[in-house]
Amino acid sequence: MDFSHSPRATALVDAVSEFVATEIEPIEDGYHRELAAVRDSGGDPWVPLPVLAELREKARAQGLWNLFLPAGHEGPWAERYGTRGGAGLSNVDYAPVAEVMGRSAMAPYAFNCNAPDTGNAEVLLKYGSQDQKEQWLAPLLAGEIRSAFCMTEPGVASSDATNMELTAVRDGADYVLNGRKWWSTGVGHPDCRILIVMAVTDADADRHHRHSMILVPRDTDGVVVERLLDTMGFKDEPYGHGEVSFTDVRVPAENVIAGAGKASEIAQGRLGPGRVHHCMRLIGLAEKSLELAIRRGMERTAFGKRLIDLGGNRERIAWARIQIDSARLLVLNAAWKLDEGGPANALSEVSQIKVAVPTMAQQVIDVAMQIHGGGGLSSDTPLASAWTAARAIRLADGPDEVHLGVVARLELAKHRSDPR
């Protein structure tokens, strides 16, 4: 395997790095101060500040748009809405681009590469009908609308996706949905127009064919965002994570994606690349945190020495470098396996990175917070929100324990005839 960047990936990494360094990082602190001022003054923090639209216009003008589009979609969607070259990227090629984006919470949105829109777009690309693509994928890739993914539920242990209870009952030409979802990412954005909802469509089918993915327009009667959830005090405006109720929500049967009973298949196809995206962005976040730690440690003095020379901080910096580089190689290996044979070829590798990378990021960010002292706990630096993001990813897309179980099951299967 060769993890060196292809010429196209190298060009995109350079361009994205330049954009982040010159367009985003210089205004990032000001953006967060302005957002805090809106909150403090009683304004609406969910309305995106104008600077975000300006960044998106600049990124699109430079061809730095929809960079997540996967290889194999070199047709009209990539040509109409893709990045430079009009073709999708392999997972290995996109990984270093995603890493650069991870340096700033603003960057993925600027490049139209933020979750859950990337995953939802990939679902529509791979599984959607032509009508579904024209109605929802086209405006999503154009940046005209946002979307949400509604899977997790408050009333069941959602680490087991087959537990989901929201129902979609066939009624003539329609399905009628009833139930409740939460941690529905993206639903707080004022431009959110479409929800992908996982629902029970056949309670008598086997557990992996009971559910379907259904497109539900956000403004459909009976869809109510009951509240927007915070993650350890952060609400993640303008995206948001909501608790959403569905009461007698009626949508046409043609809104089912790829046919009834296909939710498990779609979820697995969606989550593999999505986990690579999450992990590479976290590596970028860890790199940024390490840079902040080193800068702080070299600039501040205490007890007659630089902070970097006190209390074992040099060893902590060394371990952070080792952990980051090790995690990056683990993710690139998973990305390569996905490219070579799809999700089924990378079950263990994807689960490995989902456990290893957020844990690594937490540890590196924690070192940076410690070196910053009290300032590392405040909003004066991006470290507190970075730590929270890393912690949250250990639950998003499946908790550590589920992924460790997958790795263990596959490993044990190598040593016995009974793979249970």
Side-chain angles (χ1 to χ4, degrees):
M1 64 190 75
D2 182 2
F3 294 149
S4 60
H5 298 170
S6 69
R8 185 163 179 237
T10 298
L12 288 174
V13 167
D14 290 345
V16 171
S17 298
E18 177 72 12
F19 192 97
V20 171
T22 61
E23 300 287 352
I24 296 179
E25 290 182 335
I27 67 171
E28 193 167 15
D29 288 346
Y31 167 80
H32 289 294
R33 284 196 298 271
E34 185 177 353
L35 186 60
V38 170
R39 292 193 203 100
D40 294 343
S41 66
D44 186 354
W46 297 99
V47 176
L49 296 178
V51 68
L52 292 179
E54 294 169 9
L55 286 173
R56 287 165 66 80
E57 289 175 8
K58 290 178 181 178
R60 188 167 187 178
Q62 295 181 29
L64 303 177
W65 191 253
N66 292 330
L67 301 145
F68 70 92
L69 281 170
H73 293 282
E74 288 81 4
W77 301 105
E79 292 168 4
R80 285 162 62 182
Y81 304 112
T83 184
R84 298 176 184 177
L89 295 172
S90 68
N91 285 295
V92 169
D93 277 346
Y94 182 63
V97 180
E99 177 179 338
V100 177
M101 289 187 208
R103 294 178 60 88
S104 168
M106 300 168 67
Y109 187 68
F111 300 118
N112 210 42
C113 291
N114 57 289
D117 297 321
T118 51
N120 291 343
E122 288 193 39
V123 165
L124 290 168
L125 274 170
K126 185 173 182 179
Y127 301 100
S129 67
Q130 190 60 33
D131 286 345
Q132 291 169 350
K133 291 177 182 178
E134 291 292 345
Q135 186 174 6
W136 300 114
L137 177 62
L140 194 60
L141 294 179
E144 297 167 356
I145 67 170
R146 305 265 56 87
S147 63
F149 187 65
C150 302
M151 182 173 177
T152 306
E153 297 181 7
V156 299
S158 298
S159 57
D160 180 355
T162 63
N163 279 343
M164 306 308 172
E165 293 180 341
L166 182 144
T167 59
V169 177
R170 186 69 183 257
D171 182 21
D174 299 329
Y175 277 97
V176 179
L177 285 72
N178 282 281
R180 186 173 291 251
K181 299 287 185 179
W182 73 343
W183 297 108
S184 298
T185 302
V187 79
H189 199 292
D191 294 334
C192 180
R193 296 290 182 271
I194 190 65
L195 318 177
I196 295 183
V197 183
M198 183 172 179
V200 176
T201 49
D202 184 356
D204 296 325
D206 70 83
R207 60 198 300 262
H208 292 294
H209 294 89
R210 297 174 65 221
H211 297 84
S212 302
M213 295 288 186
I214 303 178
L215 290 160
V216 179
R218 168 69 179 80
D219 60 359
T220 306
D221 289 343
V223 176
V224 177
V225 178
E226 300 289 348
R227 59 177 176 144
L228 289 167
L229 304 165
D230 68 279
T231 306
M232 301 177 75
F234 294 93
K235 287 200 170 181
D236 198 24
E237 302 101 333
Y239 317 113
H241 315 281
E243 183 169 349
V244 188
S245 63
F246 298 79
T247 305
D248 296 329
V249 174
R250 184 177 290 271
V251 296
E254 55 263 31
N255 282 26
V256 173
I257 301 174
K262 296 293 185 68
S264 291
E265 175 188 343
I266 294 171
Q268 289 309 307
R270 177 188 194 276
L271 291 176
R275 286 167 180 152
V276 170
H277 300 177
H278 278 314
C279 289
M280 288 307 290
R281 285 195 296 267
L282 278 175
I283 289 171
L285 191 60
E287 286 281 13
K288 177 68 175 288
S289 300
L290 180 58
E291 290 174 17
L292 292 174
I294 293 171
R295 189 181 311 153
R296 179 80 165 196
M298 295 180 72
E299 291 173 350
R300 290 287 179 114
T301 60
F303 308 105
K305 292 184 178 181
R306 298 181 306 173
L307 292 182
I308 205 72
D309 297 320
L310 291 172
N313 283 333
R314 282 177 174 266
E315 287 79 7
R316 294 185 183 97
I317 296 300
W319 272 115
R321 169 52 54 210
I322 292 168
Q323 289 175 294
I324 292 172
D325 289 353
S326 298
R328 181 184 293 109
L329 288 172
L330 202 62
V331 179
L332 289 173
N333 181 58
W336 177 74
K337 295 272 284 191
L338 282 169
D339 288 336
E340 290 296 303
N345 189 51
L347 290 177
S348 179
E349 289 79 8
V350 168
S351 285
Q352 290 173 43
I353 64 172
K354 186 57 180 60
V355 174
V357 178
T359 301
M360 173 280 296
Q362 258 193 282
Q363 293 170 350
V364 171
I365 297 165
D366 188 76
V367 167
M369 293 172 75
Q370 197 72 11
I371 291 177
H372 278 76
L377 303 175
S378 75
S379 58
D380 289 351
T381 75
L383 295 172
S385 61
W387 189 94
T388 300
R391 184 63 186 88
I393 294 296
R394 290 183 59 199
L395 289 169
D397 292 349
D400 291 354
E401 291 79 5
V402 169
H403 293 289
L404 289 168
V406 171
V407 175
R409 173 172 57 82
L410 294 171
E411 198 64 22
L412 292 172
K414 301 174 183 177
H415 301 275
R416 63 187 183 198
S417 57
D418 180 0
R420 290 179 298 173

